Amino acid sequence: MTATSSTQACDVLVSAALPFSQDQWNRLLQAFHGKAVAVVNPQDDAAMTAALAMARIAIIATDLDDRFLRAPHLEWVHCDHAGLNRSARSEVFERGLAVTGSAGRSAPALAEHAMLMALMLAHRSWIFLAAQARQEWLRSPEIGQLCALSGRCMGIVGMGNTGRELARRAKAFGMTVLAYRRRDQEKDEGVDEIYSSDRGDQLADMLVRCDVLILCLSLSDATTGLIGREELLHLPRGALLVNMARGEVVDQHALVDLLEEGHLAGAGLDVTAPEPLPAGHPLWSAPNTLITPHFTPPVPDRSERSLEIILENIRRFDAGETMINLLRQEDAYTADA
């Protein structure tokens, strides 16, 4: 990265931990034209404290902490990752601090991961992998009970960046696509029917139609425990659940029970509560369950997609416009606090 001002004069604090190339660093720093920028090692507490004493803007790689809430002049913090629940603290909204994130940068990969889990569950791919390991040309009545995704109904809860990418992919597989979202907006590409909590639609009305339910919503006080036993029982017998949101969105005890009872035919979990999932947790041995460690291979241009979000938000901040991925009061999550 190029040389920047010291913390003795600082309008903008930028974390040195941001994973940018030299060209990307140059473009980021140039976007703050006319402002004094300090690039600070986040492990250097003295430099962070000095910069935060003056900065109006902070661009960091992680969630914010108490130091940012105490910064006297800070107006905007950008956290360069997707899930902002750890930053959606009540103090942020009480102070009126603008907090944004980089949601959407990995949405195509997350949508692929969700489709991968849905396909593996529908095809029970582990059966064939085990047969291959035994060098067995499998002939089993269980194979005849499998059902392709094509022609089935997918319900998506949460129509943010990942939900929109997922809807297009599910439609390409020939599925009927239903979506449940908070705001009452027009249907996104690939969605056949939209349900909205703002207009009074009930989640249960969508769940009863879903062969595959995929969770893509953010974690907040309002969404914690959203999918409990009652909601899981609204799904048709033999339905599949994929959770790409957060583990806290689902009642995991009820999930295990309904998998063991056979009401649900399978679950794909990229997220759990807690993380890492400890040895001996019932989810590890739940039938027909796939678990990945909250990891999706990144898109090749993830850092560029992050930078584009930041650059657009710099422009909007300077212009006084609403910024991308701005935390709102309805996103508040107080459990971590």
Side-chain angles (χ1 to χ4, degrees), residues 197-218:
S197 59
D198 278 356
R199 68 174 181 231
D201 295 334
Q202 300 300 308
L203 178 58
D205 294 336
M206 185 186 82
L207 296 180
V208 297
R209 302 175 59 187
C210 298
D211 300 305
V212 183
L213 178 66
I214 302 193
L215 308 177
C216 301
L217 67 165
S218 59

Side-chain angles (χ1 to χ4, degrees), residues 165-320:
E165 293 281 353
L166 178 58
R168 290 194 285 269
R169 286 159 175 76
K171 180 52 63 177
F173 272 74
M175 303 188 76
T176 298
V177 180
L178 312 178
Y180 186 88
R181 68 183 310 156
R182 180 169 53 200
R183 296 183 180 87
D184 185 9
Q185 297 178 354
E186 293 296 320
K187 291 188 300 183
D188 295 286
E189 180 185 352
V191 176
D192 294 293
E193 296 182 43
I194 190 81
Y195 295 76
S196 166
S197 59
D198 278 356
R199 68 174 181 231
D201 295 334
Q202 300 300 308
L203 178 58
D205 294 336
M206 185 186 82
L207 296 180
V208 297
R209 302 175 59 187
C210 298
D211 300 305
V212 183
L213 178 66
I214 302 193
L215 308 177
C216 301
L217 67 165
S218 59
L219 178 63
S220 68
D221 290 342
T223 63
T224 299
L226 179 68
I227 306 299
R229 177 177 296 274
E230 182 178 351
E231 286 73 26
L232 294 172
L233 284 171
H234 275 112
L235 292 169
R237 188 172 185 85
L240 305 172
L241 170 73
V242 175
N243 189 2
M244 302 296 295
R246 288 292 187 271
E248 292 84 353
V249 171
V250 177
D251 180 340
Q252 295 180 155
H253 296 294
L255 175 61
V256 171
D257 287 346
L258 295 179
L259 286 165
E260 291 178 344
E261 293 168 11
H263 180 77
L264 296 178
L269 309 174
D270 186 51
V271 290
T272 61
E275 292 180 1
L277 192 66
H281 193 284
L283 280 174
W284 286 120
S285 56
N288 303 329
T289 298
L290 303 172
I291 297 175
T292 51
H294 201 157
F295 174 80
T296 296
V299 293
D301 59 345
R302 185 173 71 168
S303 62
E304 180 63 26
R305 292 164 68 95
S306 279
L307 180 60
E308 289 174 358
I309 292 170
I310 296 171
L311 294 179
E312 176 60 17
N313 271 344
I314 293 172
R315 185 197 69 76
R316 294 189 183 199
F317 178 82
D318 289 339

